[in-house]
Amino acid sequence: YVRWQHGAVPSTGLRLPRRLRWSGPLMPEASFKIGSRTVGAEAPCFVIAEIGVNHEGSLDHGMGMVEAAARAGADAIKLQTALPEDNYAPDTDVYRQYAESFLSMEDTGKIFEHARTKGLAAFTTTGLATLPAIEALGPDAYKVSSGTLSNHPLLEALCAMGRPVLLSTGMSDLEEVDEAVRLARMAGADRLSVLQCTSLYPAPPESLNLASIRTLADRFDTVAGFSDHSLGIDACVLAVAAGAKIIEKHFTFDSTRSGWDHPVSVEETEFRRMMEALRAAETCLGSAGKPLSPAQHQMAMGAQRYIVARHDIEAGAQIELSDLLFWRLQDADDAFPAKEYRNVVRSRAAHAISGYKPLSLGDIE
């Protein structure tokens, strides 16, 4: 691990053009893989345990949180990796916090490797200075935080790496998201997700705007999701119902600790309850095509109404709606379904019809 000198930005090996040329819209794939898991389309919601810097700079804490996330059912873990001196003013609380929690690249690599042995994808948010070292670790994706969505040099560099990119939008309106998505696609991002987010800690329910998840999916023709900063797990479950295909939830070993993101994070037990609720919500949501299961079809056949004579009808009489009943029948045979009543009304009885007899094609002319 090499700690970069303040102000020095090592080469990423990527030569960014002064002016990006765009011949037309580069649409991201409707679904793509992060690690071994498919994200988007009909795949189950992809759930990220956002460890961030809640490990507080401890490799042991980080490794333990990976194991807890795997036990709780997460699909991925995410860290936050950025040099404090390249991102925050010295002598500020946020600088001190990130300085105290910074993991070496060696330790970051150990956490990534441990996550993969547990079947989890692993990635991080990062900055330009740490990007080459993170890229060397082979992250399964890159996450762009809400605070760096407008950092266009970083956005271009991340999108040029050819990995999936997740954009968090907690500090941006639609116009700013438009700009970021356009830039990301011009820089080469074809596996792109846009996440609804509210950058308040904690975010009150009235600020979450979960309805915008569908707006983001439709507007950018991409996989949309939700990065949650609210308390509890309800918002994440509702986000799945609102169309989120990715959920990111802050994760901690102790939500009672002060500082970092502990107060807006959930512990293993609550994360597991969230996963159970998410999967139950997906089961209830089912398919958008409104298919009938075999059991539903059988129930429908038994509950369908058929046309029955209300009373005796003389041969040759014109049949009116008032002459008919609509009954469930144990044995419908070739009786007219109720939806075909227009074929019966104003027809004539081919012969005398007894009351309560189901009408079929041979009864009318």
Side-chain angles (χ1 to χ4, degrees):
Y1 166 62
V2 177
R3 189 169 180 83
W4 312 114
Q5 294 294 320
H6 175 69
V9 179
S11 171
T12 63
L14 169 70
R15 186 174 181 179
L16 293 176
R18 289 182 178 273
R19 180 178 298 173
L20 293 167
R21 292 182 175 86
W22 194 25
S23 60
L26 174 62
M27 291 302 178
E29 299 176 18
S31 64
F32 52 85
K33 284 187 177 293
I34 296 180
S36 62
R37 288 172 169 79
T38 299
V39 180
E42 297 302 315
C45 184
F46 184 84
V47 183
I48 305 162
E50 159 68 307
I51 294 174
V53 291
N54 279 345
H55 50 68
E56 300 182 11
S58 165
L59 176 60
D60 287 343
H61 282 162
M63 300 287 264
M65 292 173 74
V66 165
E67 294 177 3
R71 289 193 299 266
D75 297 302
I77 59 98
K78 188 187 80 67
L79 305 177
Q80 294 176 19
T81 307
L83 292 177
E85 56 266 34
D86 281 6
N87 290 275
Y88 311 106
D91 299 323
T92 60
D93 287 341
V94 67
Y95 177 92
R96 285 189 290 271
Q97 178 174 297
Y98 276 86
E100 291 170 7
S101 61
F102 192 86
L103 284 175
S104 70
M105 292 302 105
E106 181 181 358
D107 286 350
T108 299
K110 289 178 179 178
I111 289 178
F112 278 16
E113 182 178 356
H114 191 49
R116 287 164 183 152
T117 66
K118 299 296 181 181
L120 304 178
F123 53 100
T124 187
T125 54
T126 191
L128 281 171
T130 47
L131 177 57
I134 292 297
E135 177 63 19
L137 298 177
D140 292 301
Y142 282 111
K143 169 75 186 300
V144 178
S145 67
S146 296
T148 59
L149 192 66
S150 61
N151 184 346
H152 289 180
L154 175 60
L155 181 59
E156 290 176 12
L158 293 177
C159 292
M161 292 296 165
R163 301 185 186 276
V165 176
L166 283 60
L167 305 180
S168 213
T169 62
M171 300 182 186
S172 303
D173 59 21
L174 269 179
E175 183 178 349
E176 292 165 327
V177 180
D178 280 339
E179 185 177 25
V181 169
R182 181 175 181 274
L183 183 68
R185 289 175 175 168
M186 290 193 326
D190 61 349
R191 291 176 292 171
L192 186 68
S193 175
V194 182
L195 310 183
Q196 166 59 8
C197 180
T198 301
S199 294
L200 299 174
Y201 299 84
E206 64 272 16
S207 73
L208 299 179
N209 295 320
L210 297 181
S212 67
I213 294 170
R214 179 54 56 194
T215 299
L216 295 175
D218 293 344
R219 186 181 184 91
F220 302 114
D221 192 21
T222 190
V223 177
F226 177 55
S227 179
D228 187 27
H229 297 148
S230 69
L231 299 177
I233 63 174
D234 291 348
C236 290
V237 179
L238 290 170
V240 171
K245 291 297 185 178
I246 296 175
I247 294 290
E248 181 182 53
K249 184 66 177 177
H250 283 270
F251 189 63
T252 183
F253 59 90
D254 184 357
S255 61
T256 66
R257 292 177 68 82
S258 60
W260 290 273
D261 291 322
H262 297 302
V264 295
S265 302
V266 296
E267 299 175 24
E268 178 183 346
T269 299
E270 193 169 16
F271 199 98
R272 184 184 297 111
R273 288 200 305 109
M274 181 187 77
M275 292 300 304
E276 291 170 352
L278 289 179
R279 298 308 182 212
E282 288 177 322
T283 299
C284 292
L285 284 169
S287 170
K290 203 180 182 337
L292 282 183
S293 68
Q296 287 175 294
H297 181 71
Q298 184 175 359
M299 177 62 74
M301 294 301 293
Q304 188 169 186
R305 267 52 175 180
Y306 294 89
I307 299 174
V308 173
R310 181 183 290 272
H311 44 69
D312 292 343
I313 301 174
E314 294 180 357
Q318 182 170 287
I319 300 173
E320 303 294 344
L321 186 60
S322 58
D323 297 320
L324 306 178
L325 293 171
F326 303 93
W327 279 3
R328 287 188 185 182
L329 296 176
Q330 291 280 9
D331 185 3
D333 288 333
D334 56 353
F336 283 107
K339 64 183 179 181
E340 295 183 15
Y341 82 98
R342 293 183 186 279
N343 294 327
V344 177
V345 172
R346 299 302 174 90
S347 66
R348 294 194 177 274
H351 50 76
I353 301 172
S354 300
Y356 308 136
K357 178 186 183 299
L359 300 188
S360 60
L361 189 61
D363 294 321
I364 63 174
E365 58 183 15

